[in-house]
Amino acid sequence: MQVKLGQSVLEIVEGDLTRQDTDALVNAANPSLRGGGGVDGAIHRAGGPKILEECLQIGGCPTGEARLTTGGNLKARYVIHTVGPVYKDGSHGEPQLLASCYRESLKLASAKGIKTVAFPSISTGAYGYPLKEAARIALQTVKEYLAQHPEITLVRFVLFEKTAYEEYEEALKSV
Ligand code: ADP
């Protein structure tokens, strides 16, 4: 499913993030940037050791911020590593931090001349963010960014599970 927002396209697909041919992939990283499970592990496996080398050089990333590396062996030229919030109860700044992940990732893309970006559903795996609420925040934040930044021509959300795709589909209808 896709929607046109001004000059840009916002789309959701079911699939594997690591196989996308966008200019950049966004990694749901952890603050150490030393790799991990879930989509983080999949990106490092598919992209090879170069990405981890660059991550170790950077040294880490605070929650809600983003850092850039090259894409190693991935089709994507760049990986934007962002650190989502661990969900407690929603009253510990989680919504603001999650929105910040999407915004800061896109800011890095704009600064680097990256035009097409693929995101996973940040924080909804090991970090436990409820999917429905996370989907709404993700899509709303990206939509607001694209309205101000036509230089980003495509944002694609790549959902690994059908249930995640369905939640994003519902959310996309209402943002
Ligand atoms: P977090 O620690 O931010 O919660 P996870 O990697 O544990 O990150 O999960 C984030 C989301 O990424 C989950 O919905 C998970 O199902 C999904 N995911 C895992 N592997 C992939 C992949 N290869 N492509 C896209 N999404 C993936």
Side-chain angles (χ1 to χ4, degrees):
M1 179 181 181
Q2 62 170 226
V3 296
K4 194 108 194 337
L5 298 168
Q7 312 282 5
S8 314
V9 169
L10 171 55
E11 74 176 359
I12 58 170
V13 302
E14 198 181 332
D16 182 346
L17 182 74
T18 64
R19 303 173 69 89
Q20 305 303 310
D21 60 0
T22 45
D23 296 336
L25 306 183
V26 178
N27 182 17
N30 60 58
S32 76
L33 295 186
R34 286 163 180 270
V39 73
D40 194 3
I43 286 174
H44 284 287
R45 274 193 303 280
K50 179 90 193 321
I51 300 175
L52 186 60
E53 245 170 62
E54 290 179 47
C55 281
L56 295 178
Q57 202 68 43
I58 294 166
C61 178
T63 304
E65 295 187 20
R67 300 288 184 269
L68 188 82
T69 68
T70 60
N73 303 327
L74 296 166
K75 281 188 209 157
R77 281 187 64 199
Y78 296 101
V79 177
I80 296 167
H81 305 263
T82 190
V83 181
V86 175
Y87 190 85
K88 295 191 186 77
D89 57 7
S91 72
H92 289 77
E94 296 96 327
Q96 293 78 9
L97 288 166
L98 186 61
S100 174
C101 286
Y102 288 100
R103 218 165 23 240
E104 294 301 314
S105 295
L106 290 170
K107 277 193 211 167
L108 266 186
S110 291
K112 196 72 189 173
I114 291 165
K115 294 183 180 318
T116 60
V117 182
F119 279 99
S121 177
I122 295 162
S123 280
T124 61
Y127 282 2
Y129 213 112
L131 202 46
K132 192 181 286 294
E133 181 59 8
R136 195 188 61 73
I137 292 168
L139 293 169
Q140 184 64 39
T141 306
V142 169
K143 185 184 157 191
E144 281 166 16
Y145 190 88
L146 290 178
Q148 307 287 328
H149 294 272
E151 73 274 11
I152 306 284
T153 58
L154 170 72
V155 171
R156 177 185 296 153
F157 281 88
V158 183
L159 292 322
F160 205 47
E161 292 112 5
K162 191 173 180 62
T163 48
Y165 179 83
E166 286 167 354
E167 288 291 0
Y168 272 73
E169 192 177 32
E170 274 311 300
L172 187 55
K173 287 177 192 159
S174 57
V175 297

